[in-house]
Amino acid sequence: MAAEIVNPRSDSSTDSSAGSSTDSSTDSMGSATDEPFDPAFALHRGGKMAVQATVPIRDKDDLSLAYTPGVAKVCSAIAENPELVHDYTWKSQVVAVVTDGTAVLGLGDIGPEASLPVMEGKAILFKQFGGVDAVPIALATTDADEIVETVVRLAPSFGGVNLEDISAPRCFEIERRLQERLDIPVFHDDQHGTAVVTLAALRNAAKLSGRSLGDLRAVISGAGAAGVAIAKFLLEAGLGDVAVADRKGIVSRDREDLTEVKRELAELTNKAGISGPLDTALAGADVFIGVSGGTVPEPAVASMAPGAFVFAMANPNPEVHPDIAHKYAAVVATGRSDYPNQINNVLAFPGIFAGALQVRASRITEGMKIAAATALADVVGDELAADYVIPSPFDERVAPAVTAAVAAAARAEGVARR
């Protein structure tokens, strides 16, 4: 059984005159105010999702099949053969979207209640773009042990777990421990979704310029969840070299202030042995990838190699404004929807989970992620251009291509169970 995500609000919940910026609105308690109408609050009133049954309950016969006594037969069958849970419940079609509210968008640690609008949004993106049902779960704890134990105990209800907006470095440990303990896909989208879409765009940018990934040296601004995952993933895919910078400069072996995660990163990256500030690493670099916020000075961008790529992905303010980036770069991408080449995770996670669930994969492997990136890049095809190295989230070819590629890779890597 699958539940359909629907708009829970009735027509009466919105005012037909709501489009006027001068109309009165209501505050969070429903009382009238003189504040200008805000469409964001209007859209979110009552929440953005609900659960809808996929079977009718029209009479006592329907009731006896959907619930007692008919349901007992199905329960008994699953008790005898637990694998039947995938066939006779929604388990293989539903993902838990789990957060502790510590790294929500650009808002930071705002807590589990304030994270819920984002988690609901994530759930409806799963449904809209991948046909996957998802349930937002915001946890009232930031303790890694408690998060792991809670998710492990919830896992029998779900076919996969999407970790979301959990701050680094705890997110790395939480994901690793859950992957070790569960036999369903566990995927931290802030890490791997970003990395998959970045690789897809970079593959096409390199193709457009007649180069391979191995020809490129990249610099990543940001050593949090996304920056670390992107660096590792690009190297796995064959990137020539990458240096990662945090607030104190380039992550390098000679630094004595590194966390365990960053020490591991220093061993994998920065073959050129660069130390010092971000600006130093950008001199002669082929690629800039921004996942940190802040601003990169124009002279540093100008110092990059000819034909460079600038992927400034911070929202709402890119690390390099596109107008500046276009002066020096052959390909420019951002995280914003109002510029070409948006690096948007929604291009990846719905199809990745749809593919994994389709074959009942026990985990999501590096090979499955690389397959997703390759399929995503291939959607662009012959339309490849400097302002089109990555497809739009609304391109209907995206999710089916990623789903099929991930499912095939899961079978090839031996993690598919059907």
Side-chain angles (χ1 to χ4, degrees):
M1 181 178 91
E4 180 182 354
I5 294 177
V6 297
N7 186 330
R9 298 165 295 176
S10 66
D11 291 340
S12 62
S13 66
T14 56
D15 192 321
S16 62
S17 64
S20 170
S21 62
T22 59
D23 289 339
S24 296
S25 61
T26 56
D27 64 18
S28 60
M29 299 301 292
S31 59
T33 74
D34 293 326
E35 294 296 319
F37 170 78
D38 189 323
F41 280 91
L43 183 142
H44 285 78
R45 181 171 292 279
K48 299 192 292 290
M49 59 181 290
V51 174
Q52 178 172 298
T54 60
V55 296
I57 307 293
R58 297 162 298 196
D59 51 37
K60 63 186 181 72
D61 291 334
D62 288 342
L63 182 60
S64 68
L65 288 173
Y67 201 55
T68 187
V71 73
K73 297 178 182 179
V74 181
C75 293
S76 297
I78 294 172
E80 293 179 10
N81 180 5
E83 285 300 305
L84 291 178
V85 71
H86 298 285
D87 297 313
Y88 293 107
T89 73
W90 78 338
K91 179 179 173 71
S92 280
Q93 303 171 67
V94 65
V95 170
V97 181
V98 178
T99 190
D100 64 358
T102 55
V104 182
L105 297 179
L107 303 174
D109 186 355
I110 60 174
E113 290 85 0
S115 77
L116 269 176
V118 177
M119 299 308 111
E120 286 183 1
K122 197 78 173 189
I124 64 176
L125 294 180
F126 265 108
K127 187 67 173 183
Q128 177 70 30
F129 294 101
V132 173
D133 293 297
V135 177
I137 297 175
L139 301 179
T141 179
T142 61
D143 181 84
D145 291 339
E146 291 183 353
I147 292 171
V148 169
E149 292 302 323
T150 301
V151 175
V152 167
R153 283 159 176 72
L154 289 170
S157 296
F158 299 98
V161 175
N162 183 92
L163 299 174
E164 189 76 21
D165 292 351
I166 299 173
S167 63
R170 294 174 312 115
C171 60
F172 304 113
E173 176 192 355
I174 290 167
E175 183 188 46
R176 175 184 56 77
R177 289 171 60 185
L178 286 173
Q179 288 172 338
E180 290 172 352
R181 293 186 59 180
L182 298 178
D183 65 347
I184 58 175
V186 178
F187 184 87
H188 185 208
D189 185 53
D190 302 314
Q191 294 184 58
H192 309 300
T194 310
V196 165
V197 183
T198 301
L199 174 58
L202 189 56
R203 279 191 185 280
N204 276 340
K207 181 179 179 181
L208 186 66
S209 65
R211 289 177 283 179
S212 69
L213 290 178
D215 298 327
L216 304 176
R217 179 173 71 85
V219 178
I220 297 175
S221 175
V228 171
I230 291 170
K232 291 181 176 180
F233 193 53
L234 293 182
L235 290 174
E236 179 78 17
L239 187 74
D241 192 15
V242 57
V244 182
D246 61 11
R247 291 183 180 87
K248 297 181 180 180
I250 302 301
V251 175
S252 56
R253 296 180 184 181
D254 59 350
R255 281 180 49 180
E256 298 180 356
D257 60 344
L258 300 179
T259 64
E260 181 179 349
V261 170
K262 291 180 183 178
R263 282 197 299 272
E264 179 189 0
L265 190 64
E267 294 296 324
L268 297 172
T269 63
N270 196 15
K271 298 175 187 174
I274 301 169
S275 59
L278 173 72
D279 298 16
T280 302
L282 278 178
D286 303 293
V287 184
F288 168 76
I289 297 170
V291 284
S292 66
T295 301
V296 177
E298 183 172 347
V301 181
S303 74
M304 295 178 69
F309 312 140
V310 171
F311 292 4
M313 290 145 51
N315 261 319
N317 300 310
E319 294 88 348
V320 182
H321 191 280
D323 291 344
I324 299 298
H326 278 296
K327 291 183 182 181
Y328 310 103
V331 175
V332 177
T334 71
R336 293 175 50 146
S337 59
D338 54 347
Y339 289 100
N341 295 328
Q342 184 190 19
I343 307 296
N344 190 329
N345 287 17
V346 77
L347 289 163
F349 69 82
I352 289 173
F353 268 99
L357 294 177
Q358 185 180 96
V359 298
R360 296 180 189 169
S362 58
R363 57 192 296 261
I364 294 172
T365 65
E366 291 299 299
M368 292 162 70
K369 290 184 285 184
I370 288 176
T374 302
L376 182 55
D378 288 346
V379 168
V380 172
D382 295 337
E383 301 172 74
L384 181 62
D387 63 352
Y388 186 55
V389 297
I390 198 75
S392 162
F394 296 99
D395 189 324
E396 294 181 355
R397 300 171 295 174
V398 168
V402 173
T403 299
V406 168
R411 292 190 178 101
E413 299 209 337
V415 296
R417 289 177 287 196
R418 74 167 183 183

